[in-house]
């Protein structure tokens, strides 16, 4: 199955040594490994419909793959390209945009989504880029920050809002190629070196009307769906990280001896490992459920209506699980846990960037609370 | 992981739902939502009558094989039954122990005679059972059972002496299945027998244990030369441990979705209170309410994983975390309920100590992380069986 | 010292059997024990100045005594009388009110403070009782709820607000005897049976002007000080409860055998006990600091300015410690922990009522946050 | 518990505060706030020069007895010194190990000759020391030390072979005190000696350990027939464990208030960020910031309890919880700092990996709960020594 294929391929191209080599490269990944994925594995086409040249598999398979990428700390433009770029096109692209760009992605072009400004939020209010009509097309001014692989992606989906608009109103989406006049992109070096972020500055960037995705000024519901799909996808990475941290830790504590016993025989250590398993398995349950819902949402199925809640539930517990497990992994490794030489710290850093990206647990719990508790919410709990 | 059920299963759902709608009224209306954990002592005779009604409707032993008098329902159907039963507010089942533990055990390990003798009473909702495992010094360490069974060849029967504890509803049951030491020189899980003991005899005294809620759900059961025919012994004379462990394995997750429905009702109740008293606007309580809902979602997804998993009976990882997860979640829910109620949470419904439903849940939920294997024992099990870590040494 | 005297006296009059007998009495305590306290120990007079017939000791000694009362689950009108009633008179009483009422308390009269209405809050907004001028005096209408020993106290200090006022403005304090026309008091039976709460309904209760304490309409700062002093006092009870829960648990786990070992030899149990000690000792540190500050505040010393913060810090960690320790005590007692027969459940229930009373941890953390983070707050952390 | 200091002590406070204000400027201005945990690798030669300046001002060895060249300061004065030093942003002390560990050890256990030989260099801020205790297989289990010391009677000296690890600043130190096995047949804490080893010799190799921050604070130290004169052995040939344990007891809380001042500065920094970026309005972060402040208050009150407690040197309860408490608090503070910074927390100050102060603190604070006794070991110590619970069995 995809899980096993992915595991064995990634074990080869994303060994600890490969990760350490890739993460200090300027582009942040091993170009050769990415090429092999595009050519041999064709993972970038996994859930793109066959009509656009893709493999036409579902979100559940994509999630299984992403879980392995998290497990192996894979450095690549895969997440940005597939879970941001391709999803944005699938959800909000016009037929002509899909026909133009999706086959390019299938052919190996990279992509991403830029929507957050500098205010640190992840909801509709985070959009700060300003769009105005211009010569039948539009002009963009302002900036986006914290954009995954934003400095290298070849296809950009960008969210902007009309001047004076707030929150969910006035939001539009655009798709543009990297070589667009007025656009400056710069790498933002990060604590987690296995991923790349960028800032995009738009200085009177002019776009033709064919760059406009879906209904101008009313794109928020579709953008929210794109973000929710991306959220489920990042949880897969978290679950993989959380699981691998557990596995590495169990293996370490079963060989490390102190006081004449393997430290894994101490109940304090055993129970921490048990807690790590509970975290990993419960996050996995939430993830698998959300993956099924996401698959439904992509085909506009009835169960897809639960996407926002399922994504928030998964992200809240995925973030907790991943941070807890990677942090506990350092603790149970003792002194070697905070050396650069051991791998657990790389997982710990990736956990923090996954936690922050698209909103932490508190953000997602509050999002769920709004659905449960605020004006208009029924007494019904949706299960 | 499947999120939906087959059309056939949904038709089954319709059937049980409408039967419950029809029958859980009239004389039985007062039973809705009663008799669950923390409330097991309530409305006992009415709930016994309800068991007979369930039997009349063909809803007892639904998971048992047809040739043993059951309905031979699929796992999917059993799940649906439990879900609809809980959704309708079906009362805590007096027949629970008999149907889910004794029946399957006899079907697997019992003689034909034993099955003929005991299964019908269980199915008909007429004979009620309780569980005689734990003892004062055999809690987490169940294999430390000290109750002694002595064989009297001349009468072909056993006498049992000792004390069991934490026996739910013993005072309302006719029979108890008892794990007792047949070999007085044995230690641990060897030399134990499994006995079906009639409680209505001189050698048995049942003493209720009052809990922190002021109610009595558990009992101590004292055996003083209590008699049990050799024919009422299940399995080998020294094979009781195998029977007992087999029995614990019969509970395989079909009822977890039903349990979650009860939890969901409690959370909905808490949300209603929060909306009414303004707690729903408190940012910290919002987080905790959302977290509770996330936990419910996780439990449901976890059960769906369990149910779509391997059918070879081996425990999967998601099954191994379930007890620890739900018990901790429910205990936290109790605290959340009180914090949502705020100052009013202290005030009981009726003087002198008539607790509200949520107060009783709050207090009783402290037991959730203890009975059926404490959280500490659960973590041992997970570490040792799922993660392959070394076992705790015996002293 | 007071600690040891208190411990040995309370071990006698507040044994588990005595607590169980007292808590089901209508008045909620053992009248004889209370009499002995007033006559033999004279604890009710401990921190009342000698000029009013008291012993003139400080708040630090009072806190040491209250800690022992918590440890022994003492059922009595002591807290309401001394930490609410006497403190209110000391802080906000006129000289004539002090001269009238404090000697009565010294002589054994009980007292309390009623300020909270039904809205569940504990700050200024919780005051719902309405006061209006009337014939040179005032008239009170409305109700107070959750009043400690409110059904039995002989001297009542009551907070009310002028109609239409909100928050900290419009608040006045009054002192009145229990036999006041128009006042109806009823017992509110509680989950924690070691303490008594009451509802007080005021139906056109008319008071002469000599019932008015401090400046009418401007009593909040003094009432807040009274509440902060009472908060520090309840933390002492929490620390006593938390410590006793730990002691009972250690003693139980060192004799309970499972799997051939005392369960106290399991690291999971040891570490839980260690955590309980950390909770108890850190709460005790916060308490002792707050007690010193409270003593300063009572004599209007400079360090007393930190009272509100010190009280909130102490209540936040006292509540956490007491709930954690009493809950963990049940857990480590296993099956017997949730039986009525064992004492740990009584501590668990007392912990919840202490936690709720005067605001839980979240309430007090937010109160501290306002001082640290909101308009007007400097960057300085007050240490 | 005393909240205030005597007038005399406050006069002492004035003295050190104004000396620091005067001297921590000019060439030393850049040292303010530098060289603390997570930053120990920075500005080493400047901080060594600062040690000499401290000596010139009479501020080294303040807690040592006057007849050993110290200032004979009272505990109260030492507390004040540390508090003011931290308040002024005094840099991480290069002379820390020498002054607080080696000096007191030699004063307690050393010969007159050893004191004459080593104390002046420490006091003058000219000779720097590091600690050779831990080994790859002797972390929590310190008594498992394997480094071997062999006596050569003919030269009256020892040679040491083995490996030490987690040795802070070894590459900047002239001397290391080393716990090594003098009796190769011994196990555990018997048969160990305590040696003062010159690192500037052929038999010693120091290798820095890179941490998750990308910086190197710790080292491995390899001894290959490294030479140590018998005159540089402290205590009995097999009495090194007693010396080592005595040494660990010298750190008695005088510096905790200084540590808290550093923590306070970090929290103040976080609060400034929160006010600037709006995190101060987030209800959850408000709770956590308040909680951090409560923790600071508790640590301070706890230290005041320690300092006003028994002076017989026995560890009080509040002292036993301190390591676990501050380490956990500080680790949580690191997470809080990142969450207050939000999305911006990921972005480092300088490409490729120049961490901001708060980022370095966040990452390095993961080590706080490990070095100097892990949280797990701390809980063992509390349970066993303070609560009298059974010791963990050795394997």
């Amino acid at each position: 199955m995809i899980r096993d294929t992915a595991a064995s391929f990634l074990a080869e191209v994303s060994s600890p040594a490969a990760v350490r080599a890739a993460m200090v490269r300027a582009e942040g990944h091993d170009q050769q490994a990415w090429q092999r994925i595009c050519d041999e594995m064709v993972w970038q086409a996994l859930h793109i419909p066959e009509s656009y040249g893709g493999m036409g598999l579902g979100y559940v398979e994509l999630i299984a793959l992403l879980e392995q990428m998290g497990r192996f700390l894979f450095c690549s433009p895969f997440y940005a390209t597939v879970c941001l770029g391709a999803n944005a096109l699938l959800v909000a692209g016009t037929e002509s945009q899909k026909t133009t760009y999706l086959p390019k992605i299938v052919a190996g072009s990279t992509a991403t989504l830029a929507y957050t400004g500098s205010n640190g939020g992840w909801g509709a209010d985070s959009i700060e880029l300003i769009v105005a009509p211009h010569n039948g097309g539009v002009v963009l001014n302002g900036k986006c920050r914290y954009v995954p692989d934003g400095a290298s992606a070849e296809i950009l989906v960008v969210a902007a809002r009309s001047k004076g608009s707030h929150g969910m109103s006035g939001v539009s989406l655009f798709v543009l190629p990297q070589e667009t006049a007025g656009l400056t992109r710069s790498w933002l070096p990060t604590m987690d070196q296995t991923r790349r972020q960028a800032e995009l500055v738009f200085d009177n960037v002019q776009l033709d009307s064919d760059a406009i995705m879906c209904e101008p000024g009313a794109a928020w519901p579709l953008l929210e769906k794109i973000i929710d799909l991306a959220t489920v996808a990042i949880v897969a990475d978290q679950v993989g990280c959380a699981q691998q941290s557990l596995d590495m830790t169990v293996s370490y504590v079963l060989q490390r001896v102190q006081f004449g016993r393997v430290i894994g025989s101490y109940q304090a250590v055993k129970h921490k490992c048990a807690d790590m398993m509970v975290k990993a398995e419960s996050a996995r349950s939430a993830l698998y459920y959300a993956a099924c819902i996401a698959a439904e949402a992509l085909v506009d199925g009835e169960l897809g209506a639960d996407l926002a809640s399922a994504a928030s539930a998964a992200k809240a517990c995925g973030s907790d699980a991943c941070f807890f497990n990677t942090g506990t992994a350092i603790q149970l490794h003792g002194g070697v846990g905070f050396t650069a030489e051991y791998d657990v710290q790389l997982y710990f850093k990736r956990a923090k960037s996954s936690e922050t990206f698209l909103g932490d647990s508190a953000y997602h719990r509050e999002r769920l609370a709004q659905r449960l508790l605020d004006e208009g919410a029924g007494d019904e709990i949706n299960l | 992981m499947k999120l939906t059920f087959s059309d056939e299963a949904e038709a089954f759902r319709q059937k049980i739902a409408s039967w419950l709608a029809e029958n859980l009224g009239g004389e039985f209306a007062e039973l809705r939502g009663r008799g669950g954990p923390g409330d097991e002592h309530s409305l006992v005779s009415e709930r016994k009558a309800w068991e007979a009604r369930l039997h009349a409707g063909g809803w007892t032993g639904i998971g048992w094989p047809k040739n043993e008098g059951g309905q031979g329902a699929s796992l999917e159907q059993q799940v649906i039954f439990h879900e609809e039963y809980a959704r309708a507010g079906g009362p805590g089942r007096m027949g629970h122990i008999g149907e889910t533990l004794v029946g399957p055990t006899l079907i697997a390990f019992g003689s034909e005679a034993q099955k003929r003798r005991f299964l019908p009473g269980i199915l008909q909702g007429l004979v009620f059972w309780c569980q005689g495992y734990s003892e004062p010094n055999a809690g987490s360490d169940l294999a430390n059972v000290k109750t002694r069974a002595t064989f009297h060849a001349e009468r072909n029967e056993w006498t049992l002496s000792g004390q069991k504890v934490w026996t739910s509803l013993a005072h309302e049951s006719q029979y108890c299945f008892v794990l007792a030491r047949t070999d007085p020189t044995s230690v641990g899980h060897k030399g134990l027998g499994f006995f079906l003991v009639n409680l209505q005899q001189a050698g048995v005294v049942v003493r209720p244990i009052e809990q922190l809620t002021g109610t009595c759900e558990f009992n101590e059961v004292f055996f003083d030369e209590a008699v049990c025919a050799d024919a009422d012994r299940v399995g080998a004379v020294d094979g009781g441990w195998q029977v007992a462990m087999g029995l614990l394995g019969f509970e395989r997750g079909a009822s977890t979705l039903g349990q979650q429905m009860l939890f969901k009702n409690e959370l909905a109740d808490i949300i209603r209170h929060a909306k009414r008293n303004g707690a729903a606007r408190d940012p910290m309580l919002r987080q905790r309410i959302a977290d509770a809902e996330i936990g419910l979602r996780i439990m449901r997804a976890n059960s769906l994983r369990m149910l779509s998993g391997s059918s070879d009976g081996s425990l999967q990882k998601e099954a191994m975390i379930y007890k620890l997860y739900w018990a901790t979640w429910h205990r936290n829910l109790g605290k959340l309920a009180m914090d949502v109620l705020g100052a009013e949470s202290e005030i009981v419904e009726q003087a002198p100590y008539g607790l509200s439903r949520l107060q009783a849940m709050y207090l009783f939920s402290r037991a959730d992380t203890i009975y059926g294997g404490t959280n500490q024992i659960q973590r041992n099990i997970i570490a040792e069986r799922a993660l392959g870590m070394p076992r705790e040494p015996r002293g």
Side-chain angles (χ1 to χ4, degrees), chain A, chain B:
Chain A
M1 302 244 331
I2 180 84
R3 188 187 176 288
D4 301 325
T5 322
S8 61
F9 182 79
L10 290 167
E12 184 197 337
V13 303
S14 191
S15 65
V19 169
R20 284 161 193 274
M23 73 187 198
V24 296
R25 288 206 181 85
E27 66 276 21
H29 64 270
D30 174 356
Q31 189 55 36
Q32 212 179 338
W34 175 241
Q35 215 51 60
R36 285 186 60 194
I37 282 179
C38 294
D39 299 346
E40 295 171 29
M41 315 306 289
V42 213
W43 287 343
Q44 79 286 4
L46 193 82
H47 86 304
I48 293 177
E50 289 166 294
S51 49
Y52 305 111
M55 295 168 68
L57 293 174
Y59 221 71
V60 172
E61 288 79 7
L62 179 62
I63 289 301
L65 174 57
L66 288 161
E67 191 179 330
Q68 294 305 310
M69 291 184 175
R71 185 179 156 208
F72 288 96
L73 290 176
F74 188 45
C75 306
S76 89
F78 184 87
Y79 178 84
T81 300
V82 175
C83 308
L84 295 173
N87 274 342
L89 286 159
L90 286 170
V91 169
T94 63
E95 194 50 41
S96 133
Q97 288 163 343
K98 290 182 193 174
T99 314
T100 309
Y101 289 108
L102 289 172
K104 287 191 184 172
I105 288 176
V106 169
S109 286
T110 57
T112 194
L113 165 73
Y115 80 102
T116 49
S118 304
N119 66 24
W122 299 99
D125 280 329
S126 70
I127 304 166
E128 295 177 345
L129 186 64
I130 298 296
V131 58
H134 182 81
N135 288 348
V138 298
V139 61
L140 300 174
N141 275 293
K143 68 179 178 181
C144 292
R145 205 167 157 82
Y146 320 117
V147 182
D149 288 311
S152 58
E154 295 160 279
I155 302 164
L156 302 169
V157 176
V158 171
R161 60 168 62 255
S162 56
K163 201 165 178 172
S165 72
H166 292 290
M168 300 183 268
S169 67
V171 176
S172 303
L173 279 170
F174 308 93
V175 56
L176 45 142
Q178 59 174 339
E179 58 284 350
T180 298
L183 172 60
T184 317
R185 313 191 292 172
S186 51
W187 170 44
L188 297 172
T190 46
M191 252 202 306
D192 167 22
Q193 296 177 285
T194 67
R195 291 179 175 134
R196 286 290 180 270
Q197 293 188 15
E199 183 173 85
L200 276 58
V201 177
F202 296 77
D203 182 17
N204 279 318
V205 170
Q206 298 177 24
L207 301 178
D208 289 342
S209 66
D210 59 6
I212 302 171
M213 302 171 80
C214 64
E215 197 185 335
W220 174 250
L222 294 183
L223 177 55
E224 187 179 32
K225 184 171 170 177
I226 297 163
I227 296 169
D228 283 329
L229 291 169
T231 301
V232 177
I234 201 80
V235 177
D237 197 285
Q238 293 176 318
V239 169
C241 258
Q243 182 65 51
Q244 184 65 9
S245 299
L246 169 59
D247 294 345
M248 289 189 301
T249 301
V250 169
S251 139
Y252 180 79
V253 300
L254 290 182
Q255 52 93 353
R256 168 77 177 168
V257 173
Q258 286 286 272
F259 304 103
R261 301 162 51 178
V262 294
I263 63 172
S265 71
Y266 289 96
Q267 205 178 26
V269 173
K270 287 167 64 179
H271 284 198
K272 281 277 183 212
C273 290
D275 286 340
M276 288 168 84
M277 191 182 109
V278 172
K279 294 274 187 192
E281 290 303 325
S282 49
R284 182 172 280 125
S285 289
L287 169 66
Y288 287 2
Y289 174 81
C292 294
I293 296 293
E296 286 284 312
L298 266 176
V299 298
D300 292 319
E302 200 184 322
L303 290 172
D306 195 35
L307 178 63
S309 297
S312 278
K315 184 67 171 27
C317 68
S319 297
D320 285 348
C322 194
F323 186 82
F324 177 84
N325 283 18
T326 57
T328 305
I330 291 182
Q331 182 68 24
L332 296 186
H333 274 73
V336 301
F338 56 88
T339 62
E341 183 188 344
Y342 276 68
D343 296 331
V344 277
Q345 47 100 8
L346 297 175
Y347 287 84
F348 178 71
K349 290 170 184 169
R350 182 139 161 156
K352 189 74 190 81
S353 78
S354 300
E355 180 190 26
T356 303
F357 183 60
L358 300 182
D360 65 8
S361 300
Y363 171 86
H364 285 284
R365 281 194 289 260
E366 171 57 27
R367 192 163 175 254
L368 268 168
Q370 286 164 18
R371 285 164 193 268
L372 284 171
L373 299 171
D374 292 348
E375 205 92 23
D379 277 342
E380 242 342 271
I381 299 165
N382 183 13
L383 266 192
Chain B
M1 189 165 110
K2 269 178 32 178
L3 300 186
T4 52
F5 295 95
S6 65
D7 289 349
E8 203 182 334
E10 290 299 335
F12 178 82
R13 186 189 295 282
Q14 264 315 316
K15 196 174 143 204
I16 171 64
S18 48
W19 186 87
L20 284 166
E22 229 164 85
N23 288 270
L24 205 48
E27 56 182 302
F28 294 121
E30 62 169 341
L31 290 184
R32 280 186 189 264
R34 301 304 304 274
D39 192 40
E40 281 197 47
H41 57 285
S42 299
L43 300 166
V44 166
S45 57
E46 294 83 351
R47 281 157 58 210
K48 284 183 173 177
W50 169 247
E51 290 291 326
R53 172 69 68 94
L54 277 172
H55 171 249
W59 297 110
T60 58
I62 61 162
W64 296 11
K66 285 199 167 160
N67 61 356
E68 305 287 3
Q71 312 292 331
S74 67
L75 187 58
E76 194 174 38
Q77 287 174 325
Q78 292 175 57
V79 165
I80 287 173
F81 172 80
H82 287 295
E83 219 173 15
E84 292 306 314
Y85 188 84
R87 193 196 308 274
R93 293 282 308 273
M94 292 295 299
H96 173 74
I97 302 276
E99 179 169 318
T100 64
L101 299 179
V102 181
T105 299
L106 290 180
I107 290 167
F109 299 102
S111 65
E112 277 309 312
Q114 287 170 337
K115 291 197 271 184
R116 273 197 307 278
R117 202 158 114 69
F118 294 111
L119 295 186
I122 293 171
L123 283 171
Q124 291 155 21
L126 294 175
V127 180
F128 300 97
W129 287 77
C130 60
Q131 169 172 334
Y133 278 7
S134 298
E135 297 183 2
N137 290 306
S140 296
D141 183 11
L142 181 58
N144 194 38
V145 156
K146 298 280 187 231
T147 295
R148 283 178 53 172
T150 312
F151 187 56
H152 305 274
E154 67 288 5
R155 344 194 272 256
N156 202 28
E157 67 183 22
W158 298 76
T159 52
L160 278 71
S161 292
Q163 180 192 352
K164 294 292 174 182
V165 74
W166 313 124
T167 312
S168 285
L169 295 174
H171 56 303
E172 299 291 351
S173 304
Q174 289 100 313
Y175 279 91
C176 183
F177 53 91
V178 175
L179 200 57
R181 201 157 290 284
T182 51
D183 175 359
T185 67
S186 66
V187 289
H189 53 76
K190 286 166 192 153
L192 294 170
F194 191 98
F195 299 90
L196 310 176
V197 181
N198 192 331
L199 294 176
Q200 337 259 265
Q201 58 169 305
V204 176
V205 172
V206 173
R207 209 192 67 158
I209 301 172
E210 189 186 339
Q211 292 151 217
L212 77 174
T213 45
T215 57
C216 301
E217 191 150 0
F218 300 110
N219 298 273
E220 293 175 293
V221 183
F222 298 88
F223 298 96
D224 180 15
E225 304 280 316
V227 173
C228 179
D230 192 47
D232 294 347
R233 173 179 47 76
V234 183
V237 167
D238 59 356
W241 184 256
Q242 289 67 35
V243 177
M245 290 301 102
L247 181 153
L248 289 178
F250 289 127
E251 183 57 284
R252 272 243 312 283
S255 66
T256 58
L257 289 172
Q259 183 195 35
Q260 290 158 28
M261 199 65 74
L262 295 176
F263 291 166
K264 181 180 148 173
N265 292 342
E266 289 171 342
L267 178 56
D269 200 15
I270 291 168
I271 289 176
R272 269 190 296 276
H273 280 288
K275 286 183 176 178
R276 197 158 44 220
N277 75 2
R281 289 189 303 273
D282 178 286
M284 296 297 293
L285 292 172
R286 292 169 70 82
Q287 290 279 320
R288 290 168 61 193
I289 289 170
D291 207 39
E293 214 237 1
I294 292 169
L296 262 183
R297 286 172 170 272
I298 287 173
M299 284 188 276
R300 182 172 168 85
N302 202 68
S303 293
L304 294 173
R305 274 176 78 195
M306 279 197 262
L307 295 170
S308 38
S310 64
S311 54
D312 64 356
S314 69
L315 272 177
Q316 300 143 266
K317 284 185 174 181
E318 61 270 17
M320 300 189 79
I321 70 167
Y322 191 70
K323 167 73 204 323
L324 179 58
Y325 196 93
W326 79 251
T328 307
W329 180 89
H330 198 231
R331 195 176 67 181
N332 289 343
L333 190 76
K335 178 72 158 65
L336 174 61
M338 295 303 99
D339 292 344
V340 160
L341 291 172
E344 201 63 25
S345 70
E346 267 300 312
I347 317 300
V348 303
E349 238 169 41
Q350 264 189 318
Y353 211 64
L355 300 172
S356 73
R357 198 72 65 84
L358 286 179
Q359 286 170 331
M361 187 273 278
Y362 165 62
L363 292 177
F364 193 75
S365 69
R366 303 310 295 191
D368 289 339
T369 55
I370 295 171
Y371 69 71
T374 64
N375 276 11
Q376 284 69 39
I377 293 291
Q378 296 299 329
R379 289 194 183 91
N380 278 354
I381 292 173
I382 292 170
E384 294 167 13
R385 299 196 203 156
L387 299 175
M389 303 178 81
R391 293 181 64 104
E392 287 299 307
R394 291 188 69 95

